[in-house]
Amino acid sequence: MQTISNTFTNITSKTGRITLVFCVLVIIMSSIEVGGEKIRNIQNRRVKQESGTKRKMLGGFQTASDLNNEEIQQPTLFVLESLEQGNDGGSYLSYASIVKQNPESSSYTAVPLEVFKQVVAGMIYKMKIGIFETTSEAKKKRCIGGLAVTVFRDLKGEFSVMKWGSEISCEEVETIMLKNSNKGESEDEESEDEEAEDNE
């Protein structure tokens, strides 16, 4: 009888240990599966984020928000210099002959109106530019026209005109400048409101 009791106790003890080991294994496997799923989710999010970043960098055109930035001023100045040097590509402009080899009595400035950028093996700028004349007599800028133009900057920082676009009237130039001015004032007001909220 004692032998039977001992045998039953041993079996029960072994069964309990086996059950315990099985439960532990189930818990471990569940943890591994859950952990693996979390890792896969994190990896998938990273892949999507990286893909989105690459598309943004190498994809379509992005709007240039700061038109006063030196990066935007450089291709703008290049276009003006091309006109002043009598680049044949801009000879269709009604004011091309006026700007070419500008006389000492006048000076010309180019103002970026709209700029879209695209990263390639270098940078492409699709631009709308306003051209202004300042005479020594009036000492006041006078719009003489504008144009659409696409400029390429290579990896060495050299600029070239990819495409001379259509001519823009002074009326359109002034309309775009007014829109940019209103947009800038609106952004300044939003910035001031945010600062006021932060100080409260």
Side-chain angles (χ1 to χ4, degrees), residues 16-112:
R17 287 197 295 271
I18 292 171
T19 302
L20 178 61
V21 171
F22 178 76
C23 290
V24 171
L25 288 174
V26 169
I27 293 171
I28 292 173
M29 293 299 293
S30 298
S31 299
I32 292 174
E33 184 176 352
V34 171
E37 184 66 25
K38 287 183 177 179
I39 291 172
R40 284 193 292 273
N41 289 337
I42 292 172
Q43 289 175 337
N44 289 337
R45 283 198 297 270
R46 286 179 178 173
V47 169
K48 289 180 180 179
Q49 289 174 350
E50 290 173 358
S51 298
T53 301
K54 288 180 180 178
R55 283 196 299 270
K56 189 173 182 180
M57 290 179 64
L58 301 175
F61 283 91
Q62 304 294 320
T63 303
S65 56
D66 186 3
L67 298 179
N68 295 318
N69 189 291
E70 184 179 357
E71 180 199 357
I72 305 303
Q73 292 296 323
Q74 288 179 344
T76 303
L77 180 59
F78 172 78
V79 171
L80 178 60
E81 290 174 347
S82 298
L83 292 174
E84 290 177 344
Q85 293 166 7
N87 188 305
D88 291 339
S91 60
Y92 66 94
L93 298 169
S94 62
Y95 52 84
S97 60
I98 302 174
V99 177
K100 182 179 179 182
Q101 300 299 333
N102 58 311
E104 295 180 359
S105 60
S106 300
S107 61
Y108 297 89
T109 56
V111 177

Side-chain angles (χ1 to χ4, degrees), residues 4 13 15 17 27 53 62 68 79 89 115 137 147 149 165 178 198:
I4 294 173
S13 178
T15 303
R17 287 197 295 271
I27 293 171
T53 301
Q62 304 294 320
N68 295 318
V79 171
V115 181
E137 296 177 358
L147 73 155
V149 61
L178 180 60
D198 292 339

